[in-house]
Amino acid sequence: EVQLVESGGGLVQPGGSLRLSCAASGFTFSSYSMNWVRQAPGKGLEWLSYISGSGSVKYFADSVKGRFTISRDNAKNSLYLQMNSLRDEDTAVYYCVSLYGSLFDSWGQGTLVTVSS
Amino acid sequence: EIVMTQSPATLSVSPGERATLSCRASQSVSSNLAWYQQKPGQAPRLLIYGASTRAAGIPARFSCSGSGTEFTLTISSLQSEDFAVYYCQQYNDWPPFTFGPGTKVDIK
């Protein structure tokens, strides 16, 4: 069974940093591209970032480009999102999502990031 | 960037009735459109892809039609577990992947 478990969320002040992690199991992690998708409270879904299976290709949404970094450790079956220069509008639940072809096929349960002073 | 829109924002339906949700893309996405269902407090789950193919375990009461820029998700006879928010998403031209704003299906 595919499992994606996010961690690392919490309360952070504006301008601060946070690193999210996603532990993957139940599938060959290195064979799958991975993504981060977020959802602000009461709002819709926003794709943030993509990383290929090898980690060599990365994409970012304009809203986080230059502030967020995506990485992975295939030996540890883990995905990461380093978030810097956080703003109030980054407050959201952050989901780790596997990509099957071009489909968001398995989702974690999400981790809540709150940016507030 | 392809902009996705959905209508209506909220759809009130009685159990057993049919629900019809619409999704529109700002430019053609061919059949590269997916639908996701999200229940309160849960992560979204893949419902339909390729504009009309149900994901594993999705019941036949869910169907989708359309191609290009106009798509429709139909739930033929709403069950209690179908009351949720539904998002469409294009994967024809990415990055970025883009989602519609969602349609909430609630109980009438």
Side-chain angles (χ1 to χ4, degrees), chain B residues 27-85:
Chain B
Q27 63 191 75
S28 177
V29 299
S30 186
S31 295
N32 296 314
L33 183 100
W35 290 89
Y36 298 83
Q37 177 193 65
Q38 186 178 33
K39 297 179 183 180
Q42 295 185 17
R45 71 162 174 166
L46 179 63
L47 205 62
I48 288 177
Y49 60 93
S52 62
T53 303
R54 287 186 300 277
I58 303 302
R61 63 180 180 272
F62 290 92
S63 64
C64 182
S65 62
S67 66
T69 62
E70 302 276 348
F71 301 87
T72 301
L73 174 68
T74 301
I75 312 171
S76 59
S77 175
L78 269 156
Q79 307 298 302
S80 56
E81 61 268 29
D82 301 334
F83 292 97
V85 180

Side-chain angles (χ1 to χ4, degrees), chain A residues 11-116:
Chain A
L11 176 63
V12 60
Q13 291 189 338
S17 297
L18 211 55
R19 189 196 196 206
L20 305 183
S21 299
C22 172
S25 61
F27 65 107
T28 306
F29 181 69
S30 60
S31 297
Y32 284 79
S33 302
M34 297 295 295
N35 295 263
W36 289 97
V37 175
R38 71 183 177 186
Q39 185 170 37
K43 303 296 184 184
L45 302 168
E46 179 187 17
W47 170 81
L48 296 180
S49 187
Y50 160 100
I51 186 168
S52 62
S54 66
S56 60
V57 180
K58 303 176 184 181
Y59 301 119
F60 296 91
D62 287 346
S63 60
V64 303
K65 200 173 292 182
R67 299 189 300 124
F68 290 12
T69 302
I70 192 171
S71 62
R72 65 191 297 160
D73 185 336
N74 287 340
K76 295 183 178 179
N77 288 346
S78 293
L79 175 72
Y80 306 101
L81 186 68
Q82 177 66 44
M83 304 186 296
N84 299 329
S85 304
L86 283 161
R87 305 166 180 166
D88 291 350
E89 55 265 35
D90 294 319
T91 294
V93 173
Y94 285 72
Y95 294 104
C96 164
V97 191
S98 63
L99 203 65
Y100 180 75
S102 296
L103 300 172
F104 293 121
D105 124 281
S106 293
W107 298 65
Q109 86 290 348
T111 187
L112 176 63
V113 172
T114 303
V115 184
S116 176

